[in-house]
Amino acid sequence: WLENTAVEHLHSFDVLDHPYSKAQVELVSRLYPGRFTMHGGDSRRTLPQFASQLKSMPVHERSPQHGSLCDLWYIDGGHVGVLPAADMGNAIRSSHNGTIMVCDDCTNHWAYVKNSFKELQKRNKLGDPWPIPMFQYYKSNKAGWCAGLVNKTS
């Protein structure tokens, strides 16, 4: 999406503990100068901070269509315990009605991720996505993703 528009801004949240993390940040920053912000650290801390700062962010870092709320979330966060539900819940708080949420590793192998996503659907916080299957699995059943639309009306 950054390639196809000159106004979008990417906010990325990562614990930054992988050997390739620094190179990724440098590459995206170089390709899209002034349009990328990395929020490093535990997402249980960085996502709520981001949500509370949205309204005061510079205009160029906000969603052009929705003022300051996010249009798209791609979540590849914690995979066990309360982490998936916390990441998804914090993302919803920073979303508008109709925001697209894509969650990586939403498979039987990563049951906490899949169950957290399904619980949000059950509570009517996530609706069905556009005309694609909700869950996409790869051959190993260990990798895949699910997608939904944030429902802020419930």
Side-chain angles (χ1 to χ4, degrees):
W1 63 95
L2 288 176
E3 189 67 29
N4 292 316
T5 176
V7 296
E8 297 292 344
H9 191 95
L10 173 63
H11 290 271
S12 186
F13 300 84
D14 195 275
V15 72
L16 298 175
D17 63 351
H18 301 292
Y20 52 79
S21 296
K22 184 178 178 191
Q24 280 182 294
V25 171
E26 289 172 359
L27 175 66
V28 177
S29 295
R30 190 174 70 244
L31 290 172
Y32 305 100
R35 298 178 52 214
F36 174 67
T37 303
M38 172 55 73
H39 304 268
D42 187 327
S43 60
R44 290 173 292 179
R45 180 183 53 76
T46 58
L47 278 169
Q49 284 175 341
F50 173 76
S52 68
Q53 296 169 353
L54 269 175
K55 299 277 185 218
S56 61
M57 279 185 185
V59 173
H60 71 278
E61 290 186 22
R62 301 183 200 170
S63 161
Q65 281 116 355
H66 299 97
S68 61
L69 299 174
C70 297
D71 297 323
L72 169 70
W73 282 97
Y74 183 89
I75 299 174
D76 185 10
H79 290 62
V80 296
V82 300
L83 295 175
D87 285 346
M88 291 177 208
N90 284 318
I92 286 174
R93 282 188 274 291
S94 302
S95 299
H96 57 80
N97 195 44
T99 291
I100 300 166
M101 182 181 292
V102 179
C103 297
D104 196 38
D105 296 326
C106 197
T107 65
N108 292 332
H109 181 77
W110 298 109
Y112 286 102
V113 176
K114 183 177 177 181
N115 293 339
S116 296
F117 188 89
K118 287 181 132 196
E119 179 63 26
L120 288 170
Q121 285 188 310
K122 190 166 80 173
R123 292 179 27 222
N124 202 29
K125 298 293 182 188
L126 282 175
D128 287 332
W130 53 98
I132 60 168
M134 181 180 66
F135 295 97
Q136 295 286 327
Y137 296 110
Y138 299 100
K139 291 179 184 174
S140 69
N141 202 29
K142 291 183 180 179
W145 54 269
C146 51
L149 300 177
V150 171
N151 181 4
K152 297 286 272 198
T153 60
S154 64

